[in-house]
Amino acid sequence: MSNNLDLSSSITHMVILSQSLCFLETLHCALNLTKGSAVTSFSQFIGRNAVLFGFVVPLQQTNVAVFYMYLAWAISEVIRYPFYAFSTLKMDFFPIVYLRYTTFIVLYPIGVMSELSVLYQAFPIATADPRYWMFGGYIKFIMLPYMIYAYGVAFPQIFRYLLKTRKQALSPTTTTINKKDK
């Protein structure tokens, strides 16, 4: 597993760049250039960047949780952006549509569990030295409510919403392949 730790350390700069650029996705939704919700996109942007810039980068975390977090994020983006590209071109490419609405079932829990593990491992460090944090000694009063809301309230709601969206997107009446057969 040490190779994974080395890998997560070496790609952190690329993850910083790509996660910083994800704000463009929110902007594209807000300008109606792509389908989707600007609020949902912004929530994901804030959530990922809070973990990345709040705990992985400053604490220089390189552990298995960081590796799996990066992996889940990367796979989801590799599927999501071609899906958006085809959608923008008004094209349905069923394999991409299927992957877009199916892989989250595995990737989303892996990402959430990895993020929670990163936060759990960072918590003792974050609360031990208040001089290290811009929030002073109050990081625990910010971190705990964030974790409770993001992972205890928002995650189940978003996951149920994604399952509902999957059912709609993959139903026989909405797939292009089935429309052509009728």
Side-chain angles (χ1 to χ4, degrees):
M1 220 29 130
S2 66
N3 289 342
N4 293 347
L5 301 180
D6 295 339
L7 179 62
S8 66
S9 174
S10 65
I11 64 170
T12 295
H13 295 293
M14 184 62 74
V15 173
I16 289 169
L17 176 64
S18 65
Q19 288 306 309
S20 298
L21 290 173
C22 280
F23 183 74
L24 293 174
E25 183 178 338
T26 302
L27 186 62
H28 293 159
C29 289
L31 298 173
N32 290 321
L33 297 175
T34 58
K35 280 183 10 180
S37 165
V39 173
T40 303
S41 175
F42 185 70
S43 297
Q44 180 177 335
F45 170 77
I46 291 297
R48 283 186 178 182
N49 283 318
V51 173
L52 181 65
F53 292 111
F55 302 99
V56 174
V57 173
L59 299 175
Q60 299 175 356
Q61 284 189 309
T62 55
N63 55 47
V64 173
V66 172
F67 172 77
Y68 284 111
M69 182 179 73
Y70 287 173
L71 186 64
W73 289 359
I75 292 170
S76 67
E77 301 307 328
V78 164
I79 294 165
R80 196 159 50 130
Y81 288 115
F83 171 80
Y84 285 147
F86 282 115
S87 294
T88 301
L89 298 171
K90 309 271 190 257
M91 296 171 56
D92 279 338
F93 183 58
F94 187 73
I96 294 292
V97 172
Y98 181 81
L99 288 171
R100 168 72 173 105
Y101 289 105
T102 303
T103 56
F104 80 88
I105 295 169
V106 174
L107 294 175
Y108 201 30
I110 289 172
V112 165
M113 293 307 293
S114 299
E115 290 172 21
L116 278 170
S117 182
V118 165
L119 294 172
Y120 178 77
Q121 292 172 37
F123 192 76
I125 301 165
T127 57
D129 186 2
R131 295 170 293 146
Y132 190 73
W133 292 94
M134 64 180 151
F135 302 113
Y138 300 104
I139 190 71
K140 59 186 159 201
F141 299 114
I142 295 168
M143 201 168 147
L144 286 175
Y146 168 77
M147 288 174 65
I148 291 167
Y149 174 75
Y151 300 105
V153 177
F155 167 69
Q157 290 175 350
I158 293 169
F159 198 78
R160 280 192 299 273
Y161 172 76
L162 291 173
L163 288 171
K164 180 181 158 190
T165 305
R166 177 184 191 272
K167 186 176 180 179
Q168 291 170 349
L170 299 180
S171 74
T173 57
T174 58
T175 58
T176 323
I177 292 171
N178 290 328
K179 285 180 187 174
K180 289 178 184 176
D181 292 339
K182 291 185 178 181

